[in-house]
C-alpha cells in the first residue's frame, strides 16, 4: 500500500500524466506559434500559446473538447474578450483576445452589459448555461485587450487550481524540428571572496568577475546542425569559491521566426545534475517570481533574458531540481566539466560545454560597508525615513537582502516635491512598497489632484498612482526609479472620430470617439442616447470608444452624450446630435 502511494505521488505532475488525444486544435489551420508557454515576459511567465491567425481577425475558434462555458469576460485590457470552457476531465481551456463570441454567448454578454450599464463584464457560468461539444465554433479570433496583433491566446489550465499547464504536453500537432539556440552564459561569483577570471584567446589580461559584477560570456556553435555550443573566444575560465550560472537561450519552431521559450534547462557539473528548471506549469500567484528566475538587471538594461541556473533565496517557484540551489563550490586545484542541456517540449536539444579550473583566493580589496540602518533583511519588514520621504517595505519584498540607497534632486518645473531616486531600477521588487513624499510644496487646492509620478530616463513623467494623505502623497509602486509629486488637472481629450459632417448614420455603422488621458488615465466612460445608457466598447490600446448601431438606437434625430473621467476626477463631456436611418 505504501509503495503504491509513493508511486502515485512520484508521478504527480509528470508530463506523461496529461491526456494526449483529448484536446483538438482550437484553429483549423496549421498551428504556428508567435509565443509559447512560460516564455519570459515583463513581470510574468506567458501562461499559454500565442497562435498565429494569418495576420487577421475573424478566424473560427473551435472548442478543444466537450464541456461547458464556465466564464466569459470582456475588458479593454488584458485578455480582452475571453472565453473559458471547462471539461469533464478536470481541465479548462481558455481562448483570449477574441473578436467576438458565438451568437448565443454574444447575446448573453450584451444582455449583461445593458443590465449593468457597463462594457466590462466578468461572469462565471454554471454547467447548464452553455454546453459545448468538441469542435463547436465558439468564437472568432481577434486582437482585443492587451494584444498587439491578431492572434489567439490559448491556455489549458487545471480547473480546480486554475494553474496554467504547458499545452504542448497535450499532444497538439505542431511541427518542431528546430533545436533551442544558446546565446550566452553569465557567471555569478558568490560571497565576499568568490570570483571568476576569464582569459580570452590571445590576451594575457584576464577579465575579472566579482559578486558585484558577474561576467557575461558569449556562446557559439560551429556544428552544422547548430546543436553543440562552446564559449566564444575563451581560453581559460578560472574560479574561486561559490559560483552560480545563468544562460540566455531561445527556442524556435518550423515556420515561425518568433523567439520562444525553452522547456527545460539542465546544468550538469562532472556529469551530475547541478540544477534544472522545467516549465510544465506555474501558478498565477508565482508568476512574478520570474524576476528572481531571470537576471532582472540584464532585462532592464539590455533586454536580455538570462535565466538563472541557481535559486535566489526568496525565489518560491516550484520548477527546479538540483542540489545546493545550483551553486558550485570551486576548490583550489579542482577542475569541473560543466554542460548545459537545453530542450524544447518536442524533445529537440542543444548543449554547451565548458571547463572551470579552481584557483587560490586572490587578495580582494575589502568592501566598503554600507549604512547598516539602510540594510533591508529579506524576511523582515522595514521602514526607512529619509529627507521628507518615507518608504516602507513589507517582508519578502526582495529576493535577497539589499543595502538600500537613495538620492534627492531639485523639483522639476512640473513637480511639487524634490525628485527621489530610489535605489537601483535593476533591483526587482516582488511586492509593492509604500512610498510617502512630504507634500509641503503642494498648494492646498491641488491636493485632490495630486499623484506620485515616475520620471523616466528621458525626463518624461508618468503616473504611479497614489493620492494625498495627511501631508504626504502616498503611493504603492512596485519598482525602483525616480519619484516626485505631480498633479493631474487636465480632463481627458474626447472627440468624435471619422464623424460624418451631417451627423447621419445608418444601422450597421459604428459611431466612434477618440479618447485620451495624458496622465492619471481613463477611470470611467459612458455613452448616453436621449439620456439612456448605450454600449460603447472601449479599446484602450487604440484609444477608441465605439458604438455599433445594432437596433438599440431607434431611427430619427437623437442626442448623444459621452462622459469620460480620469483617475483624478477630471471630466470631459461631449454632446452630439446624430440622425439614425434604417
Ligand atoms: Zn498570449
Amino acid at each position: 500500500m505504501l509503495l503504491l502511494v509513493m508511486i502515485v505521488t512520484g508521478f504527480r505532475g509528470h508530463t506523461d500524466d496529461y491526456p494526449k488525444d483529448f484536446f483538438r486544435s482550437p484553429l483549423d489551420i496549421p498551428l504556428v506559434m508567435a509565443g509559447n508557454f512560460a516564455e519570459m515576459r515583463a513581470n510574468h511567465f506567458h501562461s499559454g500559446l500565442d497562435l498565429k491567425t494569418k495576420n487577421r481577425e475573424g478566424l473560427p475558434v473551435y472548442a478543444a473538447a466537450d464541456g461547458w462555458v464556465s466564464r466569459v469576460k470582456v475588458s479593454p485590457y488584458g485578455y480582452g474578450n475571453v472565453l473559458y470552457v471547462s471539461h469533464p476531465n478536470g481541465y479548462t481551456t481558455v481562448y483570449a483576445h477574441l473578436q467576438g463570441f458565438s451568437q448565443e454567448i454574444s447575446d448573453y454578454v450584451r444582455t449583461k452589459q445593458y443590465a449593468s450599464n457597463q462594457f466590462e463584464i466578468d461572469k462565471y457560468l454554471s454547467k447548464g448555461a452553455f454546453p459545448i461539444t468538441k469542435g463547436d465554433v465558439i468564437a472568432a479570433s481577434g486582437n482585443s485587450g492587451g494584444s498587439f496583433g491578431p492572434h489567439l491566446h490559448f491556455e489549458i489550465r487545471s480547473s480546480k487550481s486554475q494553474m496554467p499547464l504547458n499545452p504542448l504536453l497535450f499532444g497538439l500537432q505542431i511541427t518542431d524540428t528546430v533545436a533551442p539556440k544558446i546565446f550566452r552564459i553569465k557567471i555569478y561569483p558568490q560571497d565576499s571572496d568568490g570570483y571568476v577570471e576569464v582569459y580570452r584567446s590571445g590576451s594575457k589580461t584576464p577579465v575579472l568577475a566579482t559578486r558585484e559584477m558577474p561576467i557575461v560570456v558569449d556562446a557559439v556553435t560551429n556544428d552544422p546542425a547548430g546543436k553543440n555550443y562552446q564559449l566564444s573566444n575563451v581560453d581559460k575560465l578560472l574560479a574561486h569559491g561559490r559560483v552560480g550560472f545563468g544562460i540566455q537561450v531561445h527556442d524556435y519552431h518550423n515556420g515561425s521566426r518568433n523567439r520562444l521559450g525553452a522547456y527545460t534547462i539542465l546544468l550538469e557539473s562532472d556529469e551530475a545534475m547541478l540544477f534544472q528548471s522545467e516549465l510544465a506549469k506555474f501558478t498565477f500567484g508565482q508568476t512574478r517570481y520570474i524576476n528572481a528566475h531571470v537576471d532582472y538587471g540584464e532585462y532592464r538594461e539590455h533586454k536580455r533574458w538570462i535565466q538563472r541556473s541557481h535559486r535566489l533565496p526568496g525565489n518560491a517557484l516550484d520548477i527546479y531540481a538540483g542540489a545546493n540551489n545550483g551553486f558550485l563550490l570551486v576548490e583550489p586545484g579542482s577542475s569541473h566539466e560543466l554542460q548545459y542541456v537545453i530542450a524544447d517540449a518536442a524533445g529537440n536539444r542543444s548543449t554547451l560545454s565548458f571547463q572551470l579550473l579552481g584557483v587560490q583566493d586572490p587578495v580582494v580589496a575589502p568592501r566598503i560597508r554600507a549604512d547598516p540602518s539602510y540594510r533591508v533583511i529579506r524576511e523582515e519588514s522595514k521602514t526607512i525615513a529619509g529627507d521628507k520621504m518615507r518608504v516602507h517595505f513589507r517582508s519578502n519584498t526582495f529576493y535577497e537582502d539589499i543595502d538600500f540607497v537613495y538620492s534627492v534632486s531639485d523639483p522639476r518645473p512640473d513637480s511639487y516635491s524634490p525628485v527621489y531616486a530610489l535605489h537601483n531600477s535593476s533591483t526587482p521588487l516582488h511586492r509593492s512598497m509604500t512610498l510617502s513624499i512630504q507634500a509641503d510644496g503642494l498648494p492646498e487646492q491641488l491636493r485632490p489632484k495630486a499623484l506620485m509620478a515616475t520620471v523616466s530616463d528621458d525626463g518624461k513623467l508618468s503616473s504611479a498612482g497614489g493620492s494625498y494623505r495627511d501631508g504626504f502623497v502616498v503611493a504603492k509602486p512596485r519598482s525602483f526609479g525616480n519619484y516626485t509629486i505631480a498633479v493631474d488637472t487636465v480632463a481627458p481629450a474626447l472627440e468624435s472620430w471619422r464623424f460624418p459632417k451631417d451627423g447621419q448614420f445608418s444601422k450597421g455603422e459604428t459611431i466612434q470617439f477618440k479618447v485620451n488621458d495624458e496622465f492619471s488615465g481613463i477611470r470611467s466612460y459612458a455613452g448616453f442616447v436621449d439620456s439612456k445608457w448605450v454600449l460603447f466598447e472601449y479599446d484602450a490600446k487604440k484609444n477608441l470608444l465605439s458604438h455599433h448601431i445594432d437596433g438599440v438606437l431607434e431611427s430619427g434625430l437623437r442626442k448623444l452624450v459621452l462622459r469620460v473621467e480620469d483617475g483624478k476626477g477630471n471630466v470631459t463631456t461631449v454632446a452630439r446630435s446624430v440622425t439614425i436611418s434604417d
Side-chain angles (χ1 to χ4, degrees), residues 41 46-50 79 97 151-154:
R41 302 274 171 98
H46 187 235
S47 52
L49 305 180
D50 284 345
Y79 285 179
H97 306 308
H151 73 281
L152 175 68
H153 172 99
F154 176 68

Side-chain angles (χ1 to χ4, degrees), residues 374 384-390 406 408 418 420 436-438 472:
Y374 283 7
I384 289 167
D387 176 22
K388 297 187 171 189
M389 177 277 286
R390 215 163 49 208
Y406 80 99
V408 191
Y420 294 86
S436 312
I437 296 180
Q438 202 168 309
F472 287 83

Side-chain angles (χ1 to χ4, degrees), residues 96-148:
H97 306 308
L98 301 168
Q99 183 188 58
F101 308 111
S102 70
Q103 192 62 52
E104 55 172 356
I105 300 168
S106 180
D107 289 346
Y108 168 82
V109 165
R110 184 62 49 93
T111 305
K112 293 296 171 192
Q113 287 171 323
Y114 273 91
S116 61
N117 287 1
Q118 289 286 334
F119 164 60
E120 294 171 50
I121 64 151
D122 186 5
K123 295 288 172 194
Y124 291 81
L125 295 157
S126 60
K127 217 168 174 171
F130 297 105
I132 295 291
T133 303
K134 185 173 186 171
D136 281 354
V137 176
I138 50 175
S141 71
N143 186 30
S144 58
S147 167
F148 294 90

Side-chain angles (χ1 to χ4, degrees), residues 1-2 6 38 72 87 91 116 138 171 175 201 220 248 275 317 341 394 419 442 450 460 473 520 528 567 582:
M1 191 59 206
L2 184 65
M6 284 172 66
V72 54
H87 307 284
Y91 297 102
S116 61
I138 50 175
T175 308
S201 21
V220 286
Q248 184 186 8
F275 203 67
L317 277 170
V341 182
R394 292 176 285 171
V419 179
L442 180 72
K460 281 204 183 105
V473 168
S520 56
F528 303 88
D582 286 314

Side-chain angles (χ1 to χ4, degrees), residues 158-423:
S158 153
S159 302
K160 206 171 177 183
S161 62
Q162 288 297 301
M163 182 190 278
L165 309 165
N166 192 333
L168 295 180
L169 304 176
F170 288 79
L172 291 175
Q173 292 299 310
I174 295 185
T175 308
D176 186 359
T177 57
V178 185
K181 289 196 176 115
I182 299 173
F183 293 86
R184 46 181 64 88
I185 64 162
K186 189 163 175 178
I187 310 177
Y188 301 81
Q190 300 296 304
D191 313 321
S192 54
D193 64 341
Y195 87 103
V196 172
E197 230 174 289
V198 182
Y199 286 84
R200 304 284 185 183
S201 21
S203 165
K204 289 206 168 92
T205 325
V207 182
L208 185 73
T210 60
R211 172 117 164 88
E212 277 71 29
M213 276 191 292
I215 201 160
V216 176
V217 188
D218 288 344
V220 286
T221 173
N222 299 315
D223 157 24
K227 294 183 174 186
N228 298 307
Y229 289 76
Q230 301 96 42
L231 295 183
S232 169
N233 191 24
V234 168
D235 262 358
K236 227 173 11 179
L237 266 179
L238 307 180
H240 176 86
R242 269 192 333 138
V243 294
F245 301 86
I247 189 165
Q248 184 186 8
V249 295
H250 298 291
D251 190 31
Y252 300 83
H253 88 106
N254 310 58
S256 170
R257 297 167 73 110
N258 292 74
R259 231 170 58 168
L260 308 170
Y263 178 55
T264 53
I265 298 178
L266 168 66
L267 175 60
E268 292 177 326
S269 169
D270 306 315
E271 296 182 349
M273 179 198 284
L274 192 59
F275 203 67
Q276 179 176 261
S277 58
E278 178 183 13
L279 291 164
K281 59 187 174 181
F282 58 85
T283 67
F284 287 106
Q286 290 174 336
T287 196
R288 194 177 172 90
Y289 284 111
I290 190 169
N291 292 337
H293 175 72
V294 301
D295 184 323
Y296 183 80
E298 284 282 341
Y299 174 65
R300 287 295 297 243
E301 286 155 36
H302 307 295
K303 292 284 169 243
R304 280 178 195 156
W305 291 117
I306 292 187
Q307 302 183 57
R308 295 178 187 273
S309 297
H310 56 274
R311 190 198 275 265
L312 294 185
N315 179 358
L317 277 170
D318 206 7
I319 59 170
Y320 304 117
N324 306 321
N325 291 320
F327 292 106
L328 178 69
L329 182 63
V330 186
E331 307 274 10
S334 67
S335 154
H336 299 278
E337 300 295 329
L338 288 131
Q339 186 179 44
Y340 265 113
V341 182
I342 317 298
D344 64 21
N348 302 298
R349 285 156 38 121
S350 290
T351 63
L352 164 71
S353 306
F354 57 96
Q355 192 184 43
L356 205 59
L357 300 172
V359 290
Q360 292 291 344
D361 191 2
V363 180
V364 177
R367 284 173 60 192
I368 300 155
R369 286 296 303 167
D371 183 342
S373 64
Y374 283 7
R375 168 142 274 238
V376 184
I377 308 293
R378 178 177 65 82
E379 302 98 318
E380 296 171 9
S381 65
K382 175 112 180 177
T383 301
I384 289 167
D387 176 22
K388 297 187 171 189
M389 177 277 286
R390 215 163 49 208
V391 58
H392 175 72
F393 302 113
R394 292 176 285 171
S395 60
N396 295 307
T397 293
F398 303 104
Y399 303 119
E400 36 189 353
D401 300 347
I402 69 160
D403 286 308
F404 180 76
V405 291
Y406 80 99
S407 61
V408 191
S409 51
D410 289 342
R412 300 157 46 102
D414 53 356
S415 79
Y416 291 85
S417 77
V419 179
Y420 294 86
L422 299 188
H423 202 64

